[in-house]
Every structure is written in structure tokens, then in C-alpha cells.
Amino acid sequence: MAAPRAGMLLLPRVTAAAALRALRQGRRLAWTSAPLRRHGSSGGGSSGGSCRSFLDVHARGLLHGVYPEASLELRALLESARQCVYCGFDPTADSLHVGHLLALVLMLHCQRAGHDAVALVGGATALVGDPSGRAGEREPLSAEAVERNAARIGDSLRRVASNHEALLWRPDSQGPPGRRRQLGAFAVLNNASWYGERDVVGFLSTVGRHFRMGTMLSRHSVQSRLKSPEGMSLAEFSYQMFQAYDFLHLHRELGCVVQLGGADQLGNIMSGQELIHKVTGKEVYGITVPLMTSTTGDKLGKTAGNALWLNRDRTSPFDLYQHFIRLPDAEVERYLKLLTFLPLAEVSHVMERHRETPDKRGAQRRLATEVVKLVHGQDGLESAIRCTKVLYEGSTQDLEAMDDTELRELFRESSFTELVLEPGTSLHDMCLRVQAVPEGSHGLQMIESGGVRVNHERVTNPDQVLVLGQHVLRNGLSLLRIGKKNYYIVKWLNV
């Protein structure tokens, strides 16, 4: 687990009820996988989101659907008092990806409206496998792999929530203290904590009896798989029961009344709503967000093979930044509304300025800035901008400010060599030692003809002795470029 930043609350062995009580007293962030205790409804307390907040989320395009449909009660509920909402994230990989961002951003909008938000890591349900949106069954994961993935995803969720609060949230300063808009609580839970105490016979006899085969078979995720050559396993078929029970458990323990999810999760959300109504007689609700797609209309995600990951070791801040910089003009306004917390009036202003000089890609740069800041924080944003200047503007100053990690991220496919700088080492010596040029006259000719650059500067004298501050930067690095695209990174160990 990553080291906590100042002000971050880590609660590894306390109940979620205690975590949320502590958060409501002013501490915002918790991680717990311990069993929960009932503490009553999360309603009441400080006021919930205003009508403006609900309409703002709708105007941004974040609401793909609401279940039950045309739920006027849901809007009244969210506007009347502080509520608890949750969204699940199964740890089928060791990182979330950009496709998860919409649901996460909607959770943060709910938190901004004063509601409590629970991010549920599916440490148990990942072992079952969600069939939603899949043409075939997932490859089974070991319990150890799921546990590792769950810890990493918990880190990611905490990091994004922390970045949001530290960098993107501005509390209201107007009005009497009791009426000012306050940030709701944010907690990260793991459903492995309550399934570890259940046995299969007990689960089926108490929970399974509330499900009807006809309803379960009618779900789109089931129908599409039953018609496929591969069919569907019993484990996948039962997944909707487990997700439904998660909703029931959080409703009982934390008073959760709203489940958030992607558009492909509607069937699972419906199962939860129906289970809670049968067991408690109470109404709960579901909100789905649209699926993020690529420029070709394909779903973004691990299954589609085009995922942009939220963990830095999978997708660097620079790569994430560049993805949004390259977004077509036709899509940038939509994603400014979906993925940022900029007021809609400011989004309109950004787009007006962009249309005046579209070649500057001002709207894309603002979008990329806001997303990278949310995902990787201020340090990640500065790294992305630094890498952009190094690669596209040839900035030696920014190159000198880069560390090994940034260089490896930026030139991921390039050779990285550690060498000892010996007195009298020439440009030709360095190129030979990293195998950037061939031995003999051909390698000498490549340098003499201007085909080699060191730290963005063209070099033509192969016998030139390396000069500190010019060929070897103060951070102990040299960047070689052979031709247009072949990069070699040299780390001098004794500099």
C-alpha cells in the first residue's frame, strides 16, 4: 500500500461505519476491508445536493440512464438530505483504466454535492467473473492475484479521491457555516470482508431464494452469452446475485440508496434493486454512465485491448496527457463536460477561445491538464508537460530536469544503458558503447553526416570529448537520437 500523504486517513482494521463517522467529522479518506456493522441510514446530517447540482450532472451528459426509469423520487432524495452512493470496481487487473473514469467522476460529483461515496473493490466478485459486455468467459484469477490487484486498485481510488480534494475542490465560502456546501465522505471498501464469512449453502438458502430464473435469464448479459458458441458458466450466471447482495449489504450497513455503474451494468443494478425491495420493502435506485469509446467508436477497456491505465507504471502521465491532446475537435467539448469539474460556463468559454485558434489545441490542452491532474496529481501533470517539451520542443532545460523514471516512461521502447564516464570519452566511444552506431567507417560517417544528436543538438565530430553540461547533463544523463526516431538513454553512474 502506498505511503499516505499528510491528512490522509488509513483505517485498515476498523469498520466502515466507524470510517464514515470519522470522515464526517472532517477526515475524508478511508480504506477498510474489515467486516461492517450496521449504523443506520446515511441520510440526514448536512444537506444534500441542490437542484442545480443534479441538473448540472445531467447537462454534462454523465447520466446515461436511471433505474427505475423516470424516477422523480431519486432526484427528490438526492436534493433532500445527505445520502450514500456506491460504485463497484472488480480487480480483474492491477490497475483501473480510463473507461472507469466516468463512474469515478460521477461518484466525486455526488461527493461534491454533499453525499457519501463508497468505492467498492470486488475482492470476492472478481473470483466469480462479471459476464457483462463480454463475448467469452474471463480467464480465472488466483486468489493471490486478486488480492494484489485489489490492493493496487484501492491505492488508485484513494489517489484519485485525494487529488480531487486537494487540487480540484473548492469549498463554499458564502453563507452561514451550517449551510455552506461541504464535501461528503469517501470510503474504499472490499467485499471480500463479508463474503469470507458466508458459506455457499447459507448464501443460496437466504439470498438465492429471492431470485427467479426467468428474470435472471432475461438479462441482456445472459442472453447474449447463451446465444454464443461458448455459452455461459454457472459462476458467471450467478454473478448478478453477488452484485445484488453487495447492494443489499451496503444498504443495510451504510444506508446506501444509489448504485452507480457503466451502461453495461444495468442488469446487475436492476437485480440489486429488486432484491432490496423484496427483502426490505424499500426503494433504491441505479444510475448508469455512458461507456467511453475510442475515436473509432470502440469501447475503451482491457477487453478491447486499447486501455489507457490509471496507474503510472502501466500508462505514464505523458501518454495519458498526449491521448487527450490528440483528441479530435468534434469530441473535446463532450469530454470537457464529462471528465472535468470545470463549470459549464467555463467549458463554453474554453470552446469559444478554441474555435478562434483551433491549431493551438487550447481545449485539448485544458482537458489533458484537468484529467492528468485528477489521475496523477500536480507532480504527474508537471512530468507530462516536461516530457512534452522534451520530445516536441527539444527543450534541453526540461531534459536536464528529468529523472530516470520520466526518461524511461517517455522513451519506453528505447535502450537504457548505465556507464562509467572515463576521462577522454568521445562521442564515437559513447555511441559504440550503447551500440547506437556500427563499428568502423560507417559509424563514423553517420556522425560526420549529422545523423546523430546528443541532447537535441546535432553533433558531427566523432572525436569530440564529452563535455559536462553539454553532452552529459547535470542530472547525469545523455540522450542520443540516431536518425529521426531511434533514441538511446545513457545514465552516467559517476556524475
Side-chain angles (χ1 to χ4, degrees), residues 368-409:
T369 295
E370 296 296 316
V371 172
V372 173
K373 192 188 301 182
L374 175 65
V375 174
H376 293 294
Q378 189 63 37
D379 288 345
L381 174 61
E382 291 173 1
S383 173
I385 293 174
R386 188 159 49 242
C387 290
T388 298
K389 290 181 178 179
V390 166
L391 190 61
Y392 296 114
E393 300 176 18
S395 171
T396 303
Q397 180 180 355
D398 286 288
L399 179 61
E400 199 162 38
M402 295 177 75
D403 57 27
D404 296 2
T405 299
E406 287 179 318
L407 273 172
R408 288 176 185 267
E409 289 174 347

Side-chain angles (χ1 to χ4, degrees), residues 167-186:
L167 303 173
L168 301 171
W169 164 251
R170 298 292 180 270
D172 283 352
S173 59
Q174 303 298 320
R179 301 294 298 276
R180 293 175 185 172
R181 191 169 59 120
Q182 297 294 322
L183 196 65
F186 188 100

Side-chain angles (χ1 to χ4, degrees), residues 348-473:
S348 298
H349 178 65
V350 169
M351 291 308 302
E352 287 176 5
R353 295 183 61 184
H354 173 75
R355 294 184 186 102
E356 294 173 359
T357 54
D359 55 304
K360 293 183 179 180
R361 307 191 74 76
Q364 285 90 340
R365 291 182 185 277
R366 186 62 185 277
L367 172 61
T369 295
E370 296 296 316
V371 172
V372 173
K373 192 188 301 182
L374 175 65
V375 174
H376 293 294
Q378 189 63 37
D379 288 345
L381 174 61
E382 291 173 1
S383 173
I385 293 174
R386 188 159 49 242
C387 290
T388 298
K389 290 181 178 179
V390 166
L391 190 61
Y392 296 114
E393 300 176 18
S395 171
T396 303
Q397 180 180 355
D398 286 288
L399 179 61
E400 199 162 38
M402 295 177 75
D403 57 27
D404 296 2
T405 299
E406 287 179 318
L407 273 172
R408 288 176 185 267
E409 289 174 347
L410 182 57
F411 303 103
R412 195 178 296 271
E413 305 300 324
S414 302
S415 166
F416 188 98
T417 307
E418 294 181 336
L419 298 176
V420 174
L421 183 60
E422 300 172 351
T425 301
S426 68
L427 290 170
H428 186 223
D429 293 334
M430 176 175 62
C431 291
L432 288 176
R433 291 175 70 181
V434 299
Q435 300 180 348
V437 300
E439 296 182 2
S441 60
H442 182 51
L444 292 170
Q445 184 181 10
M446 288 175 63
I447 300 174
E448 291 169 348
S449 63
V452 175
R453 291 177 181 266
V454 177
N455 301 330
H456 298 305
E457 297 295 330
R458 191 186 304 276
V459 293
T460 57
N461 181 7
D463 297 323
Q464 168 69 57
V465 174
L466 298 182
V467 177
L468 289 174
Q470 180 181 355
H471 305 112
V472 179
L473 300 178

Side-chain angles (χ1 to χ4, degrees), residues 142-159:
S142 68
E144 293 77 13
V146 170
E147 186 175 358
R148 288 195 301 270
N149 292 348
R152 296 251 301 169
I153 286 177
D155 289 344
S156 294
L157 291 165
R158 292 199 314 275
R159 184 184 72 244

Side-chain angles (χ1 to χ4, degrees), residues 310-368:
L310 303 191
N311 282 5
R312 182 168 186 160
D313 61 345
R314 301 289 298 270
T315 297
S316 70
F318 167 77
D319 288 331
L320 185 63
Y321 185 85
Q322 288 300 317
H323 170 78
F324 290 102
I325 289 289
R326 293 191 293 266
L327 210 63
D329 286 353
E331 296 184 27
V332 66
E333 183 173 9
R334 175 173 179 254
Y335 282 110
L336 276 168
K337 293 177 180 178
L338 287 173
L339 295 178
T340 78
F341 300 95
L342 298 176
L344 291 176
E346 187 171 351
V347 171
S348 298
H349 178 65
V350 169
M351 291 308 302
E352 287 176 5
R353 295 183 61 184
H354 173 75
R355 294 184 186 102
E356 294 173 359
T357 54
D359 55 304
K360 293 183 179 180
R361 307 191 74 76
Q364 285 90 340
R365 291 182 185 277
R366 186 62 185 277
L367 172 61

